[in-house]
Structures are given as structure tokens and as C-alpha cells.
Amino acid sequence: SRLFDVVVCDEASQITQPVCVGAMRYGHRFMLVGDHKQLPPVVKDRRARVDLSESLFKVLATAYPDAVATLSLQYRMCKPINDFNNKVTYKGKLRCANEHVAAQRMPHTYDDIVQCCTAPHGNNHPDWLPEVLDGERAVVFVDTDEVPALDSRGATTTTTGATTTTTATATT
């Protein structure tokens, strides 16, 4: 069994504790990279969520806050998205690394995206799609409560306000 000087677990706040510890045992030291204020570990089995829904990253960051180094420069989000995240989560401490990052926008035109996304469906698209795909709007919220979706059993589920309607669909 090979031992590494350092094991780095990226997106460590999104992986379960057993997976993280499994990787850590191959190194003399470890570094967990992530953000426990974002997505938690993905645990599909409802019974296992009780034990596996909290990442080792979150446990250690809570227990040892002085060991946490906080990111202050980011290279992935344009300024409007960065500003939104700052307001909601990071208390104004996160900055775009440079002007190129701050000014970036979606590289595709609305027409390119509509053609790509709707061509398989006969070029029909909902009325709200142009607003969502407007390249000048970096932050858009879409209310999907009334959009039908298939659940894990193949039944169509629609949520309207506080009411959820499930319609079973027969498959052959």
C-alpha cells in the first residue's frame, strides 16, 4: 500500500465521511477543500441520511475553526454572481480574482441555446425561456413549483403552493 505525503480531498463538503476517511488513510497528512455552507453529501438512501448527511469537512470546520483557511479570491463567477453569493453567504469577503473573471458572461447566444435545447422537442419552448437565457442577466431565479417532473417511480409530480399532486403513469 502506497502512502502519499498529502491527500487532498476536493469538494470535501459534498462527500460522505467514510469516503473521505477512506482516502485520508493513504497519506501522512490531509487537506480538505470545500464549503460546508453549500451542498451537503449526496446520500440517496433515506435510511442512511441520518448517519451520512454531514461531511467530515463540516464536522472538522465546526470543531476546529482556527484550522480553516477561508477563500477570498475566486476565479469562476462573474461579478453579479459573486455579489449575490457575498450577500447571501460570504458576508462580503469574496472577490473576483481579476477584471476578466468579473466581466465574463455566458459565451453562447440565446438563439444557439434555444436551438440546442428545444430542437428535439419541435422547437417549442416556454415563454419564460428568453428571460432566463438572457446573457446580460447573470443571476436568474426560476420558480419550478408548477413544472411537472418524474419522481423515482416514474410518476409525474407537480407542486402548486403547499399542495403536491402525484400522478402514476403506466409504462409498458
Side-chain angles (χ1 to χ4, degrees), residues 16-18 40-56 58-59:
T16 62
Q17 291 182 32
V42 176
V43 181
K44 290 185 178 184
D45 188 312
R46 289 183 193 152
R47 295 166 296 179
R49 285 186 190 144
V50 173
D51 296 324
L52 298 176
S53 62
E54 191 170 58
S55 69
L56 184 60
K58 182 176 181 179
V59 170

Side-chain angles (χ1 to χ4, degrees), residues 92-164:
K93 296 177 183 175
L94 190 62
R95 297 186 328 267
C96 293
N98 55 49
E99 284 304 313
H100 176 73
V101 171
Q104 64 189 346
R105 292 292 186 269
M106 196 162 48
H108 303 288
T109 67
Y110 166 76
D111 292 332
D112 293 338
I113 295 170
V114 167
Q115 183 177 1
C116 171
C117 297
T118 62
H121 308 288
N123 289 326
N124 294 326
H125 59 80
D127 296 337
W128 49 262
L129 192 61
E131 187 176 354
V132 169
L133 298 178
D134 179 353
E136 294 304 311
R137 296 183 66 192
V139 178
V140 179
F141 293 95
V142 179
D143 181 357
T144 60
D145 279 353
E146 296 184 27
V147 176
L150 293 179
D151 68 13
S152 61
R153 300 166 296 172
T156 303
T157 302
T158 305
T159 302
T160 306
T163 306
T164 300

Side-chain angles (χ1 to χ4, degrees), residues 59-70:
V59 170
L60 293 176
T62 302
Y64 304 99
D66 292 340
V68 176
T70 303

Side-chain angles (χ1 to χ4, degrees), residues 11-45:
E11 299 296 350
S13 61
Q14 296 180 28
I15 59 177
T16 62
Q17 291 182 32
V19 170
C20 196
V21 170
M24 289 167 41
R25 66 189 181 96
Y26 289 103
H28 296 289
R29 297 182 312 156
F30 66 91
M31 180 183 345
L32 304 180
V33 180
D35 184 350
H36 64 283
K37 295 175 185 172
Q38 292 184 13
L39 297 173
V42 176
V43 181
K44 290 185 178 184
D45 188 312

